[in-house]
Amino acid sequence: MKNSIIKRVAIFSLCLITVLFINCGHKNDPDKHTHNSEDTGHVHTHAFDERGDGHSHYDTNNDKPPFTYLRMNGEFHLNPGDSLSQNDPRNPGRLKLTTSDKAGSITKMVFYDHNDLDKKLAECGYEFIGSRPDPHFYPKKSKTSIWDVFKKVKDFSGDCINYNYVISRSPHGDTIHMHLRYGDDVEALLAMSNDTIDSQFNPWWGVYCDIERTTSCD
């Protein structure tokens, strides 16, 4: 009887050790792991060799990418009915944007004439070099007022010299819209948020909507 009990205990211990080994091995597997997003409650798993060089902790099926500048795909035009945007000659009338999180890729921007949406002024390639808080709104008035900063790295066509740097309040909001400024000095572009309101459309806050939108998006 005693030998039978000992044998049962030994078998149980062996099974327990096997289960623990399998579970621990899975948890410590560096090639596969699971993340739980606190914002969405969505749980997703990915393998190490699916990450590429950029380890993205986000669901690729989610409509909202982790960085707002990755939403800069598609065409936009000046906010319909918004005189401050429509009448400011600095604002391109139409934008065509293409971007990606693929390593080594560039963000392409096409700028169209303020008054002629079919007249292309320039097509230029950019490197995303980081984000900066808006000096007027951040953080006391808005903790999400962040500009994405782009440095020109390639001229495709047109007068790209006019667009050496672009800062964008990249597409955001419940009704998707964006803001954009361009020039030669990032600090000067950011500082425009603190300009005194005047008849020359300052501060510079051009608002852009999806190209298909016919009513205000701001």
Side-chain angles (χ1 to χ4, degrees), residues 22 28 52 62 73 76 112 121 136 180 209 218:
I22 293 173
N28 293 325
N62 196 323
N73 280 291
F76 298 83
Y112 291 84
L121 299 178
H136 180 78
L180 179 140
C209 309
D218 190 12

PDB file of all heavy atoms in Angstrom, residues 22 28 52 62 73 76 112 121 136 180 209 218:
ATOM      1  N   ILE A  22       6.236  23.404 -19.607  1.00  0.00           N
ATOM      2  CA  ILE A  22       5.615  23.833 -20.867  1.00  0.00           C
ATOM      3  C   ILE A  22       5.148  25.266 -20.776  1.00  0.00           C
ATOM      4  O   ILE A  22       5.400  26.093 -21.652  1.00  0.00           O
ATOM      5  CB  ILE A  22       4.426  22.910 -21.231  1.00  0.00           C
ATOM      6  CG1 ILE A  22       4.945  21.509 -21.570  1.00  0.00           C
ATOM      7  CG2 ILE A  22       3.629  23.483 -22.394  1.00  0.00           C
ATOM      8  CD1 ILE A  22       3.848  20.479 -21.776  1.00  0.00           C
ATOM      9  N   ASN A  28       8.432  32.463 -21.695  1.00  0.00           N
ATOM     10  CA  ASN A  28       9.758  33.035 -21.897  1.00  0.00           C
ATOM     11  C   ASN A  28      10.219  32.946 -23.343  1.00  0.00           C
ATOM     12  O   ASN A  28      11.348  33.246 -23.647  1.00  0.00           O
ATOM     13  CB  ASN A  28      10.774  32.311 -20.994  1.00  0.00           C
ATOM     14  CG  ASN A  28      10.522  32.595 -19.528  1.00  0.00           C
ATOM     15  OD1 ASN A  28      10.109  33.692 -19.182  1.00  0.00           O
ATOM     16  ND2 ASN A  28      10.753  31.600 -18.667  1.00  0.00           N
ATOM     17  N   GLY A  52       9.947  42.973 -38.243  1.00  0.00           N
ATOM     18  CA  GLY A  52      10.883  43.723 -39.061  1.00  0.00           C
ATOM     19  C   GLY A  52      11.809  44.514 -38.163  1.00  0.00           C
ATOM     20  O   GLY A  52      12.042  44.165 -37.013  1.00  0.00           O
ATOM     21  N   ASN A  62      -6.139  47.990 -36.713  1.00  0.00           N
ATOM     22  CA  ASN A  62      -6.746  49.162 -36.097  1.00  0.00           C
ATOM     23  C   ASN A  62      -6.672  50.345 -37.058  1.00  0.00           C
ATOM     24  O   ASN A  62      -5.673  50.546 -37.738  1.00  0.00           O
ATOM     25  CB  ASN A  62      -5.999  49.504 -34.794  1.00  0.00           C
ATOM     26  CG  ASN A  62      -6.786  50.434 -33.905  1.00  0.00           C
ATOM     27  OD1 ASN A  62      -7.469  51.325 -34.387  1.00  0.00           O
ATOM     28  ND2 ASN A  62      -6.683  50.228 -32.603  1.00  0.00           N
ATOM     29  N   ASN A  73      -2.026  59.965 -45.398  1.00  0.00           N
ATOM     30  CA  ASN A  73      -2.193  59.336 -46.697  1.00  0.00           C
ATOM     31  C   ASN A  73      -3.504  59.813 -47.301  1.00  0.00           C
ATOM     32  O   ASN A  73      -4.524  59.859 -46.620  1.00  0.00           O
ATOM     33  CB  ASN A  73      -2.222  57.807 -46.561  1.00  0.00           C
ATOM     34  CG  ASN A  73      -0.833  57.220 -46.420  1.00  0.00           C
ATOM     35  OD1 ASN A  73      -0.045  57.241 -47.359  1.00  0.00           O
ATOM     36  ND2 ASN A  73      -0.521  56.695 -45.247  1.00  0.00           N
ATOM     37  N   PHE A  76      -6.239  66.116 -49.447  1.00  0.00           N
ATOM     38  CA  PHE A  76      -6.927  67.064 -48.576  1.00  0.00           C
ATOM     39  C   PHE A  76      -7.074  68.400 -49.301  1.00  0.00           C
ATOM     40  O   PHE A  76      -6.234  68.766 -50.127  1.00  0.00           O
ATOM     41  CB  PHE A  76      -6.133  67.271 -47.283  1.00  0.00           C
ATOM     42  CG  PHE A  76      -5.987  66.012 -46.455  1.00  0.00           C
ATOM     43  CD1 PHE A  76      -4.995  65.079 -46.747  1.00  0.00           C
ATOM     44  CD2 PHE A  76      -6.836  65.756 -45.390  1.00  0.00           C
ATOM     45  CE1 PHE A  76      -4.848  63.929 -46.006  1.00  0.00           C
ATOM     46  CE2 PHE A  76      -6.700  64.601 -44.630  1.00  0.00           C
ATOM     47  CZ  PHE A  76      -5.714  63.687 -44.941  1.00  0.00           C
ATOM     48  N   TYR A 112      -0.421  71.950 -54.227  1.00  0.00           N
ATOM     49  CA  TYR A 112      -1.125  72.535 -55.369  1.00  0.00           C
ATOM     50  C   TYR A 112      -1.420  74.011 -55.115  1.00  0.00           C
ATOM     51  O   TYR A 112      -1.501  74.460 -53.966  1.00  0.00           O
ATOM     52  CB  TYR A 112      -2.419  71.770 -55.641  1.00  0.00           C
ATOM     53  CG  TYR A 112      -2.192  70.367 -56.161  1.00  0.00           C
ATOM     54  CD1 TYR A 112      -1.952  69.311 -55.283  1.00  0.00           C
ATOM     55  CD2 TYR A 112      -2.198  70.102 -57.532  1.00  0.00           C
ATOM     56  CE1 TYR A 112      -1.732  68.019 -55.759  1.00  0.00           C
ATOM     57  CE2 TYR A 112      -1.986  68.807 -58.014  1.00  0.00           C
ATOM     58  CZ  TYR A 112      -1.750  67.777 -57.119  1.00  0.00           C
ATOM     59  OH  TYR A 112      -1.529  66.497 -57.585  1.00  0.00           O
ATOM     60  N   LEU A 121       2.345  72.664 -57.741  1.00  0.00           N
ATOM     61  CA  LEU A 121       3.469  73.567 -57.495  1.00  0.00           C
ATOM     62  C   LEU A 121       4.761  72.811 -57.229  1.00  0.00           C
ATOM     63  O   LEU A 121       5.831  73.219 -57.683  1.00  0.00           O
ATOM     64  CB  LEU A 121       3.164  74.474 -56.297  1.00  0.00           C
ATOM     65  CG  LEU A 121       1.944  75.385 -56.420  1.00  0.00           C
ATOM     66  CD1 LEU A 121       1.758  76.176 -55.133  1.00  0.00           C
ATOM     67  CD2 LEU A 121       2.096  76.328 -57.614  1.00  0.00           C
ATOM     68  N   HIS A 136       1.712  77.598 -28.059  1.00  0.00           N
ATOM     69  CA  HIS A 136       0.566  78.366 -27.560  1.00  0.00           C
ATOM     70  C   HIS A 136      -0.415  77.480 -26.787  1.00  0.00           C
ATOM     71  O   HIS A 136      -0.888  77.865 -25.704  1.00  0.00           O
ATOM     72  CB  HIS A 136      -0.159  79.043 -28.717  1.00  0.00           C
ATOM     73  CG  HIS A 136      -1.341  79.858 -28.279  1.00  0.00           C
ATOM     74  ND1 HIS A 136      -1.218  81.114 -27.729  1.00  0.00           N
ATOM     75  CD2 HIS A 136      -2.677  79.592 -28.295  1.00  0.00           C
ATOM     76  CE1 HIS A 136      -2.410  81.590 -27.428  1.00  0.00           C
ATOM     77  NE2 HIS A 136      -3.322  80.685 -27.763  1.00  0.00           N
ATOM     78  N   LEU A 180      -1.172  72.695 -41.476  1.00  0.00           N
ATOM     79  CA  LEU A 180       0.144  72.562 -42.081  1.00  0.00           C
ATOM     80  C   LEU A 180       0.782  73.938 -42.280  1.00  0.00           C
ATOM     81  O   LEU A 180       0.111  74.904 -42.652  1.00  0.00           O
ATOM     82  CB  LEU A 180       0.006  71.832 -43.421  1.00  0.00           C
ATOM     83  CG  LEU A 180       1.266  71.602 -44.256  1.00  0.00           C
ATOM     84  CD1 LEU A 180       1.241  70.202 -44.889  1.00  0.00           C
ATOM     85  CD2 LEU A 180       1.386  72.656 -45.362  1.00  0.00           C
ATOM     86  N   CYS A 209      -9.368  69.531 -44.933  1.00  0.00           N
ATOM     87  CA  CYS A 209     -10.317  68.422 -44.788  1.00  0.00           C
ATOM     88  C   CYS A 209     -10.048  67.376 -45.861  1.00  0.00           C
ATOM     89  O   CYS A 209      -9.355  67.642 -46.847  1.00  0.00           O
ATOM     90  CB  CYS A 209     -11.757  68.910 -44.956  1.00  0.00           C
ATOM     91  SG  CYS A 209     -12.218  70.330 -43.962  1.00  0.00           S
ATOM     92  N   ASP A 218     -13.721  71.395 -39.207  1.00  0.00           N
ATOM     93  CA  ASP A 218     -13.025  71.897 -38.028  1.00  0.00           C
ATOM     94  C   ASP A 218     -13.979  72.007 -36.838  1.00  0.00           C
ATOM     95  O   ASP A 218     -15.085  72.496 -36.993  1.00  0.00           O
ATOM     96  CB  ASP A 218     -12.426  73.271 -38.341  1.00  0.00           C
ATOM     97  CG  ASP A 218     -11.480  73.713 -37.226  1.00  0.00           C
ATOM     98  OD1 ASP A 218     -11.130  72.871 -36.377  1.00  0.00           O
ATOM     99  OD2 ASP A 218     -11.113  74.892 -37.226  1.00  0.00           O
TER     100      ASP A 218
END
